[in-house]
């Protein structure tokens, strides 16, 4: 075998070896794993804002009943605390013995002064009596009549009467005590009791007159009220503002009692997701979106109010987007998933209560 033949044989063997190596089957790749996840959608729903506060029950309007003249002794007290009285009803009787004596003297003086003034009638300019004397007698008659009317007014005030209808919440009058600067009675006008609530500065801007309020007493009773007045002032020390809540007339509403208020907020459509869809990382809250190709993608969001198992999205994906619920925190960008039937987001508690 010459050298030329040997070279040809060697080249043929090399070509055959290469052809055999190319026909060898490639190793199959492992199939891509797919995780089953439950999904929900970003929904637009009315999410009511709410604020709470506490305070004391007070009289909407309180009448303080007293007497003008001091030092008059109380003879009889006709009503007790808790009594419901009518406007004009007698509450107490004062001792008028001394006043009767002064009144008798004033009547006698008024009669005498009137008689003296009558004698000088028609004498003006006649020269019979000086003009000064005529004027003096007439002036004394007017003064005597004024003093008599004052004492007669005081005489009528010896019977202390209710200026308004309502319930007596305080009685300081006692038989034998002397009248002074303090009121003898305090009356809640027309039995109207309301809540004087202290509301944080951050919440009072969302409260307005006419807004519904649920007021809960210390024993658990709940009354439906409405905001009557929102104070324009915030206490600079406590950062609290005062809100007056009108309540229905009820015997269980007692002045001075403690109560809590839950203010129903105004509802507005906002983007929401179930709370289970939100997971928290070091950078903040996130959602795991599921795109049209059923692949996962994490996005940062900004959340707001929470109610009934859902949370408001202040910043995030648009309404209608699919988000992962259970297991979403364990997915990474690009993971393929198998979405389970879409789970409807739970309705807020307020909406369920309305039905």
């Amino acid at each position: 075998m010459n050298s030329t033949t040997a070279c040809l044989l060697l080249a043929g063997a090399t070509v055959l070896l290469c052809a055999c190596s190319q026909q060898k089957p490639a190793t199959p790749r492992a199939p891509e794993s797919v995780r089953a996840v439950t999904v929900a959608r970003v929904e637009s729903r009315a999410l009511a804002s709410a604020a709470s506060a506490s305070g004391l029950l007070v009289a909407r309007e309180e009448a303080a009943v007293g007497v003008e003249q001091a030092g008059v002794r109380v003879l009889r007290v006709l009503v007790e605390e808790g009594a419901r009285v009518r406007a004009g009803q007698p509450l107490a009787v004062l001792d008028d013995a001394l006043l009767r004596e002064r009144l008798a003297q004033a009547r006698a003086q008024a009669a005498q002064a009137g008689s003296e003034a009558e004698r000088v009638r028609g004498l003006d300019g006649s020269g019979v009596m000086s003009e000064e004397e005529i004027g003096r007698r007439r002036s004394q008659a007017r003064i005597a009549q004024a003093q008599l009317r004052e004492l007669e007014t005081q005489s009528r005030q010896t019977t202390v009467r209710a200026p308004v209808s309502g319930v007596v919440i305080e009685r300081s009058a006692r038989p034998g005590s002397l009248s002074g600067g303090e009121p003898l009675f305090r009356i809640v006008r027309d039995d109207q009791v309301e809540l004087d609530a202290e509301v944080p500065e951050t919440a009072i801007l969302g409260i307005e007159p006419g807004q519904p309020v649920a007021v809960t007493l210390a024993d658990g009773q709940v009354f439906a009220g409405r905001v009557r007045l929102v104070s324009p002032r915030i206490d600079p020390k406590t950062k609290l503002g005062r809100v007056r809540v009108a309540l229905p007339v009820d015997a269980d509403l007692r002045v001075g009692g403690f109560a809590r208020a839950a203010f129903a907020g105004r509802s507005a459509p906002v983007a929401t997701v179930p709370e289970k869809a939100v997971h928290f990382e070091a950078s903040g809250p996130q959602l795991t979106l599921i795109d049209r190709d059923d692949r996962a993608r994490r996005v940062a969001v900004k959340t707001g109010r929470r109610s009934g198992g859902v949370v408001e999205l202040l910043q995030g994906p648009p309404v209608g987007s699919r988000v992962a619920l259970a297991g979403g925190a364990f997915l990474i960008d690009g993971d393929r998933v198998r979405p389970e039937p879409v789970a409807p987001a739970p309705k807020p508690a307020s909406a369920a209560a309305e039905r």
Side-chain angles (χ1 to χ4, degrees):
M1 180 182 301
N2 55 32
S3 59
T4 301
T5 305
C7 288
L8 291 173
L9 292 173
L10 181 59
T14 302
V15 172
L16 182 61
L17 182 60
C18 289
C20 292
S21 64
Q22 291 176 356
Q23 295 175 358
K24 184 176 179 181
T27 304
R29 295 196 311 172
E32 185 178 8
S33 61
V34 178
R35 181 193 295 270
V37 295
T38 304
V39 299
R41 291 187 181 273
V42 180
E43 294 183 351
S44 176
R45 61 175 62 211
L47 196 63
S49 60
S52 59
S54 60
L56 298 177
L57 298 175
V58 298
R60 178 171 179 174
E61 185 176 344
E62 182 180 292
V65 186
V67 292
E68 293 184 6
Q69 63 269 29
V72 181
R73 192 173 303 280
V74 177
L75 195 61
R76 296 192 305 277
V77 178
L78 307 178
V79 297
E80 297 291 340
E81 289 185 2
R84 283 178 170 77
V85 297
R86 305 179 309 277
Q89 178 178 336
L91 305 178
V93 177
L94 305 180
D95 187 358
D96 63 347
L98 181 60
L99 185 60
R100 286 198 304 271
E101 294 180 4
R102 294 175 56 194
L103 188 58
Q105 293 176 359
R107 286 171 177 162
Q109 292 173 355
Q112 182 179 356
S115 177
E116 294 291 335
E118 184 65 23
R119 290 177 184 175
V120 297
R121 177 182 294 182
L123 297 182
D124 300 85
S126 65
V128 176
M129 186 176 294
S130 68
E131 296 297 328
E132 291 182 359
E133 179 64 18
I134 294 173
R136 185 185 67 81
R137 292 189 180 190
R138 289 173 178 171
S139 177
Q140 287 181 342
R142 289 193 296 269
I143 293 174
Q145 286 294 329
Q147 293 175 343
L148 177 60
R149 287 194 297 269
E150 180 181 359
L151 289 174
E152 288 175 341
T153 300
Q154 292 180 5
S155 177
R156 290 192 294 270
Q157 291 176 346
T158 55
T159 299
V160 181
R161 299 180 182 274
V164 297
S165 298
V167 60
V168 178
I169 59 170
E170 184 179 340
R171 190 205 78 172
S172 60
R174 298 289 184 273
S177 64
L178 298 177
S179 62
E182 292 296 322
L184 300 178
F185 303 90
R186 293 185 183 275
I187 301 174
V188 177
R189 184 171 188 172
D190 298 329
D191 297 358
Q192 291 185 332
V193 176
E194 61 186 19
L195 175 63
D196 183 15
E198 294 183 322
V199 181
E201 178 183 11
T202 54
I204 200 170
L205 294 179
I207 298 175
E208 59 185 16
Q211 192 169 335
V213 187
V215 176
T216 304
L217 304 187
D219 62 358
Q221 289 189 78
V222 180
F223 291 86
R226 286 192 176 275
V227 175
R228 183 180 68 83
L229 179 67
V230 180
S231 173
R233 180 179 178 273
I234 301 295
D235 190 295
K237 295 182 179 179
T238 63
K239 298 302 180 184
L240 297 173
R242 309 195 81 86
V243 175
R244 287 292 188 100
V245 179
L247 294 168
V249 175
D250 193 285
D252 290 335
L253 296 173
R254 300 174 183 272
V255 172
F258 177 81
R260 296 185 180 276
F263 299 86
R266 292 167 291 180
S267 298
V270 295
T272 63
V273 293
E275 288 183 332
K276 294 180 180 179
V278 182
H279 47 89
F280 294 87
E281 305 293 341
S283 57
Q286 293 186 350
L287 292 176
T288 300
L289 285 180
I290 308 300
D291 61 19
R292 295 181 178 180
D293 297 328
D294 293 339
R295 290 191 180 275
R297 179 169 60 89
R298 291 193 175 191
V299 294
V301 296
K302 183 177 180 180
T303 60
R305 296 165 293 170
R306 297 172 182 265
S307 177
V310 298
V311 60
E312 176 186 9
L313 290 183
L314 300 177
Q315 294 179 2
V319 173
S321 303
R322 296 187 301 171
V323 294
L325 292 181
F330 301 101
L331 298 173
I332 59 176
D333 286 353
D335 280 355
R336 183 178 291 279
V337 299
R338 185 177 70 254
E340 295 292 337
V342 177
K347 297 295 183 182
S350 60
E354 292 176 359
R355 294 198 306 269

